[in-house]
Amino acid sequence: GQEIGEEVHDDRDQFFRIEAGEGEIWIDGVRHPVKADDGVIVPQGARHNVVSTGSQPLRLYTLYGPPEHLDGTVHATVEEASADHEHFDGHTTE
């Protein structure tokens, strides 16, 4: 039943890859059921949210284009992500 929380990124696209569990990704008010092995692209400017709906934890990773977070950032929980206010600093490890 946890969710990431509704948000909009006006300057970047976002990709979600579902690794385990079941949930919903809402994009501009439209519900998209998701499960393990699904991928979803949210275009810049779209209001979106991710909600866990299954009996097992929803595990996912997300990529931003351009980057949103510092290289190597991992948030194990929604609470951890909400408490972290870092942003990409323009430096990569490449």
Side-chain angles (χ1 to χ4, degrees), residues 1-16:
Q2 285 191 323
E3 62 184 81
I4 289 178
E6 196 171 75
E7 59 185 6
V8 175
H9 304 290
D10 290 323
D11 59 349
R12 64 197 71 234
D13 296 326
Q14 189 171 7
F15 168 79
F16 288 97

Side-chain angles (χ1 to χ4, degrees), residues 20-93:
E22 296 176 356
E24 303 169 343
I25 296 183
W26 289 80
I27 303 172
D28 287 336
V30 178
R31 176 185 165 271
H32 303 274
V34 293
K35 62 186 180 338
D37 295 327
D38 286 348
V40 176
I41 295 174
V42 178
Q44 70 180 28
R47 183 166 299 281
H48 59 282
N49 191 9
V50 178
V51 181
S52 177
T53 61
S55 59
Q56 300 296 317
L58 180 63
R59 302 204 184 274
L60 60 87
Y61 66 85
T62 186
L63 302 171
Y64 297 88
E68 170 79 358
H69 300 285
L70 293 173
D71 186 39
T73 298
V74 174
H75 298 126
T77 65
V78 171
E79 295 79 15
E80 213 177 271
S82 296
D84 192 355
H85 300 290
E86 53 71 33
H87 289 284
F88 181 64
D89 59 4
H91 298 286
T92 66
T93 57

